[in-house]
Every structure is written in structure tokens, then in C-alpha cells.
Amino acid sequence: MSYKIYIPRDSSALSMGAEKVAAAIQAEANLRNFDVEIIRNGSRGLYWLETLVEVATDKGRMAYGPVKIKDVTGLFDADFLNAKPHPLFLGLTDEIEWLKKQQRLTFARVGITDPISLDDYLAHDGYKGLRNALNMVGTDIVKTVTDSGLRGRGGAAFPTGIKWKTVLEAGAKSHIGLGCVAETKYVVCNADEGDSGTYSDRMIMEGDPFVLIEGMTIAGIAVGATQGYIYLRSEYPHALITLNAAIEAANKTGYLGENILGSSKTFHLEVRRAAGAYVCGEETSMLESLEGKRGLVRFKPPLPAIEGLFGKPTVVNNVISLASVPIILDKGAQYYADYGMGRSRGTLPIQLAGNIKHGGLVELAFGVTLRELLYDYGGGSYSGKPIRAVQVGGPLGAFLPESQFDTPLDYEEFSKIWAVLGHGGIVAFDDTVDMAKMARYAFEFCAIESCGKCTPCRIGSTRGAEVVDKIIAGKDTVKNIQLIRDLSDTMLNGSLCALGGMTPYPVLSALNHFPEDFNSQTIVKVAA
């Protein structure tokens, strides 16, 4: 009898020993003369249970975790291949409450399929969206994406369909450079995922790369682009291997390249590694880097949709934005739009990190509250202490106090409390955190990562860190707090991009909500 075992190849699982666990299970199976097939799937996103080992049974996949090398012999002794009880036995994977309550649309296949098996992807509804798109004209594809309500998942939350429409029309009525009608267009995926506490892009690229490839291909067909680039974070070597393997498979089988599926449509795709600069997560800086230049922010206008890569109209979208497109083209705009609240439609892959008991990925429709995420899914703090603050949206996101934990995840609701959803990363801090030090870190981070092109960001961040040091030391506290507010106003309104423009978010939110950490009991609200 042959047994099928699933062990993740995801980077986080590997860091928890998944490779060694897989080798140990294979060795033990050989020793006991068991015929096993080990499939290296993506992670289910329950990172506190990695390495999560699943065994295929007639009833479904049974989970065991977290499995260490020392547990392997005991698992075989307990007959885990036949789903027998063991202290690490979790039951049916799909019935694990943490997973069962989620609404996985973009992450429907992650953790289920072999990431580099095209056959597996096709067997789980893969490329249905592309097949539908090939039978549509560009304007109809763009309308479908627009009607779905999909907005940029990279942080800006700009409506994806409007961006695509601009690029689609650029060839017809926009003149680029020296009066030449734009014929060449590009699709660029911003995969330079650098925000603290975020990993959803990586999980897609390592766990379901074909969904990203399919989404980019649909985008290319929609706007008339024939070349795409994935600008990949340099610290993601495993994603690079997986993406290249999937692109090769797609090219060999007619899902990429010339005459896609006999349609006469063309779309080529390549991966380009980033150089490690956080500022290249900003779209124009990324485009400069792709062109082989130093990653400096460009002045806008012109927008990349008009003059983007090499001066041509360019769709620039985040990984999750593009990976959400296939299900929209497969099941229709209304299917996707039925999830969410207000103007925030669909689902958001939320990443729980920091001082949290159950860190991992939760995909839910917009509208779930921070409190639900932190306690129903996250299980509270890892330390067992009260959660004092969370930072949502990466290192440039605001710090939110417990009094705001009932805020629903919605772009407009977060805007009302002077916060951002960003890329969906949530980093939790217990009551031992020093918020003055966190504010200082925001300035320090900006100073280190600034491209240096604009003065408010380059100089303001350095001066800001120095002033916070004075506040921490108790020097002229009231005067220096006001100085921080004045400096933040300059950075907010004078910076070229969001790096300098959003650094005041964590700084001022820390000042406003946690004044006691700055030797001040007086809260002076930032001007709206």
C-alpha cells in the first residue's frame, strides 16, 4: 500500500525544520518498508504548528503538528500513516477551527497543491480565469475587474480596474515621449515585500505561483501588454526557485509565451531580483531599479500607467492584487464583490506576527475586527500579557491602542482613525513595549531606508530620531514633543513618496495614544 504525505516547502516551515522532518520520515519509511510519496506543498499558514505533516486518507487529509525530528519514530510507532491517535494528532486539516472559519479565495490552493505541479493547479480550478479572459475583449476584462471592487492590496488601495483602464487606453490616445503612440506596454508585479510582519506575497509565490502567473497573464491580455516582470525581494531565494520552475512549466505547455492556448495572444514573463532597498517597494523607485538605475523615487505626474517602465504605459500591481484576478475572471465580478463591506470588497490575507500566540495567515472578508483577529485567531499574546498595541500596515503604519481594537478592517474605517491597512500585516506588542522607543525606530528606519532624493525624508528622519532621544532623556519634553509634531507635518506634506510621508503615522500615533511613554500626560491630537 502506498501512502501520500504532505510536508511544506514554505520558507517559514523550512526554518522550523521541515526539510529535516521530510528526510527523517522518508528514512524511517524506508527502514520499515513502507511505500510513501512525500509531496512538498505550500504552508497552510498555521505557523505555530509547523512543521505541519498531513497524511492523505479516505476521509481527507489528517494533520499532525508541530512535528520535530524527534517525533518521527513515535509517529510511525503510533501508525500515523493510517491516521491513528498521537499527541500531535490534530484531526482533519479542513476541520481545524482556525482554518475552517476562514474565507480563502486568493489562498484557496495554498497548502493543498504541489506548487510546481501544473497538473495539480489545473485539477484545482487553475487557469479557468485565463480561459474565460481569452474569450473576452480587453475592455470587458477591465470592466469585470472594476466591477469586482478589487483595490490594490499593496497598501495604496487604488481601484485595480481604473489603473488597468488607464493603461488599456494609453495606446489609443496617449502619446509617449516624442509624440510616438505607445505600442509597447508592460505588466510589473511588485513582489518586493519588505514590510515588517508581512509574508502573504511570499506564501503565494512559494505556495501557488501559477495563480500569480495567471493573474499577470490576464492583466497583459486585458491591457495589450506582451511582457511582464516580477520584481522579487532579494531575501526570497525559495520564491525565486519556485517562480522560475512554474514559469518554465507554463511556457512549455502554452500558458505563457506566443500564441497562448492557440489564441494568438502573447505574454512573456520574467523574474528580476531586487537589490534589497525598502524604498524600491514604491512603484516608481522599483521601475528605476528594473531599468538598471539607482532606486530613486520619480516625480509624479506622469503616472506609471502613462509613462512607466522604459517610458511605456505600465500596470504596476502587488502580488496579492494580481493573484486575486483569476478567481474574479473564473467566478465573476459579483462573486468576489459579495465579500467585504463598504468600498472594501473581497477578502484580505491578514498576517499575524509579533508577540502573538498563534501567528499565521488569515484570509477573511473585509469587516472583521482587530479584536477578533488578535484573540479569536491569534490567541492573545505569546507572552500571556495584555496586548497593549498593534501596528497595522508595516513599519509606516500607525500604532493602535486597545481602545481601537473593535475597528473593522476596512480602508475607510481605518482612515477615520488616522490609520492604514497597508499590506495587511498586524504586529502585536504586549504591555512591556516602550512606545517612545518604537517611535524612535520609525525615524531610524526611515533614515536608513531613504533614497535621499527629498530633504524632508532624508534629513527629517535623522533629526526626528535625535529629538526623540532628547525626549526619552527628559530634556525639554514639551518643547521637543511640539518640535516632533512640526517636523512630522513637514514630512507628511513635503515628502516625495510614502516612505517619508508616512513615517509620521507610527510616530504621531505613539505620541497620541501613549503619551506616558514620552514623559507627557498631555495628548495633543495631530491635525487631520
Side-chain angles (χ1 to χ4, degrees):
M1 181 178 180
S2 179
Y3 299 94
K4 192 173 288 187
I5 302 172
Y6 293 83
I7 302 174
R9 58 186 290 160
D10 176 274
S11 294
S12 294
L14 294 178
S15 73
M16 298 301 291
E19 198 68 44
K20 293 179 180 178
V21 168
I25 287 176
Q26 185 66 68
E28 191 68 24
N30 293 342
L31 189 65
R32 301 186 186 219
N33 294 316
F34 286 123
D35 180 15
V36 300
E37 177 189 2
I38 296 178
I39 297 171
R40 306 307 299 274
N41 57 320
S43 173
R44 296 272 193 162
L46 294 79
Y47 282 129
W48 77 96
L49 292 176
E50 293 294 3
T51 299
L52 186 73
V53 175
E54 298 176 77
V55 180
T57 73
D58 292 338
K59 295 180 180 179
R61 278 153 64 166
M62 299 291 182
Y64 295 81
V67 177
K68 309 295 182 187
I69 295 177
K70 62 181 177 61
D71 302 315
V72 171
T73 300
L75 284 170
F76 276 91
D77 289 342
D79 195 17
F80 88 111
L81 291 177
N82 290 300
K84 294 301 173 61
H86 181 276
L88 299 180
F89 182 60
L90 300 168
L92 279 166
T93 310
D94 290 339
E95 292 298 316
I96 296 174
E97 196 67 17
W98 201 82
L99 269 178
K100 191 177 179 180
K101 296 187 296 182
Q102 295 190 37
Q103 297 158 305
R104 292 203 167 184
L105 302 184
T106 306
F107 279 74
R109 281 173 293 267
V110 178
I112 295 174
T113 59
D114 177 349
I116 58 175
S117 169
L118 180 57
D119 289 339
D120 217 354
Y121 184 69
L122 294 172
H124 290 81
D125 295 333
Y127 278 116
K128 284 187 175 181
L130 176 61
R131 289 185 181 276
N132 288 338
L134 288 172
N135 292 316
M136 301 165 67
V137 295
T139 51
D140 288 345
I141 299 172
V142 170
K143 186 178 186 303
T144 300
V145 173
T146 303
D147 291 347
S148 74
L150 178 65
R151 294 164 72 177
R153 299 292 190 251
F158 188 81
T160 304
I162 293 177
K163 183 180 290 187
W164 287 20
K165 185 174 185 287
T166 305
V167 178
L168 172 64
E169 295 176 347
K173 60 185 181 182
S174 288
H175 293 266
I176 309 303
L178 300 175
C180 178
V181 175
E183 295 177 352
T184 302
K185 300 178 184 179
Y186 297 99
V187 176
V188 175
C189 173
N190 187 343
D192 192 24
E193 184 178 47
D195 284 352
S196 50
T198 62
Y199 42 84
S200 62
D201 288 359
R202 177 185 59 74
M203 282 185 66
I204 283 288
M205 293 185 289
E206 293 180 356
D208 192 14
F210 287 109
V211 78
L212 174 59
I213 295 169
E214 183 181 359
M216 293 187 70
T217 307
I218 293 169
I221 291 168
V223 304
T226 57
Q227 178 67 52
Y229 294 99
I230 299 172
Y231 186 80
L232 178 67
R233 185 183 180 188
S234 61
E235 294 89 349
Y236 284 174
H238 299 290
L240 177 66
I241 294 170
T242 306
L243 284 169
N244 280 332
I247 289 171
E248 182 181 2
N251 274 311
K252 286 181 177 178
T253 51
Y255 288 96
L256 274 178
E258 306 285 338
N259 195 29
I260 294 172
L261 299 180
S263 66
S264 78
K265 302 291 185 181
T266 296
F267 189 72
H268 300 281
L269 183 60
E270 300 175 34
V271 181
R272 289 287 182 266
R273 294 191 73 177
Y278 178 80
V279 74
C280 286
E282 192 278 332
E283 60 179 3
T284 64
S285 182
M286 176 193 65
L287 294 175
E288 288 287 292
S289 179
L290 263 177
E291 292 177 7
K293 305 170 188 173
R294 180 183 171 192
L296 291 175
V297 175
R298 296 177 181 175
F299 291 101
K300 290 189 277 188
L303 297 171
I306 302 298
E307 267 188 64
L309 187 65
F310 302 115
K312 303 298 184 182
T314 305
V315 168
V316 180
N317 281 132
N318 156 268
V319 171
I320 301 302
S321 305
L322 290 162
S324 299
V325 169
I327 196 170
I328 294 170
L329 268 293
D330 174 17
K331 297 184 180 294
Q334 193 57 50
Y335 177 87
Y336 192 79
D338 282 344
Y339 292 85
M341 65 174 285
R343 291 175 53 216
S344 301
R345 310 314 305 174
T347 59
L348 180 68
I350 301 134
Q351 302 121 91
L352 299 177
N355 194 332
I356 197 82
K357 187 177 181 181
H358 295 154
L361 184 127
V362 180
E363 184 178 358
L364 290 168
F366 288 94
V368 63
T369 67
L370 281 171
R371 195 178 303 278
E372 290 175 88
L373 289 165
L374 292 170
Y375 292 99
D376 294 351
Y377 288 91
S381 71
Y382 181 81
S383 63
K385 297 176 180 292
I387 296 178
R388 187 186 185 204
V390 295
Q391 187 176 31
V392 184
L396 307 179
F399 289 104
L400 306 180
E402 195 274 338
S403 62
Q404 295 181 332
F405 286 179
D406 291 314
T407 305
L409 263 68
D410 169 82
Y411 293 117
E412 281 65 45
E413 290 299 315
F414 263 60
S415 181
K416 290 176 184 177
I417 60 170
W418 209 67
V420 293
L421 271 179
H423 189 43
I426 299 176
V427 180
F429 302 86
D430 70 11
D431 61 4
T432 63
V433 67
D434 185 331
M435 297 306 297
K437 290 182 179 178
M438 298 308 298
R440 187 198 186 282
Y441 174 74
F443 277 130
E444 181 185 12
F445 178 84
C446 181
I448 292 170
E449 297 294 345
S450 175
C451 77
K453 188 167 184 176
C454 70
T455 302
C457 177
R458 183 182 72 251
I459 303 298
S461 54
T462 301
R463 297 290 87 86
E466 294 170 353
V467 176
V468 174
D469 282 339
K470 293 177 182 178
I471 293 171
I472 293 173
K475 297 179 180 178
D476 297 324
T477 301
V478 174
K479 176 184 175 182
N480 281 317
I481 285 178
Q482 186 55 51
L483 184 58
I484 284 291
R485 294 190 182 280
D486 291 344
L487 176 61
S488 294
D489 184 64
T490 299
M491 293 181 70
L492 274 166
N493 296 294
S495 298
L496 271 178
C497 80
L499 178 54
M502 288 186 65
T503 293
Y505 274 69
V507 174
L508 294 178
S509 59
L511 268 171
N512 291 336
H513 300 304
F514 308 96
E516 61 275 16
D517 288 15
F518 295 83
N519 302 309
S520 172
Q521 298 301 318
T522 303
I523 301 178
V524 182
K525 295 294 184 183
V526 64

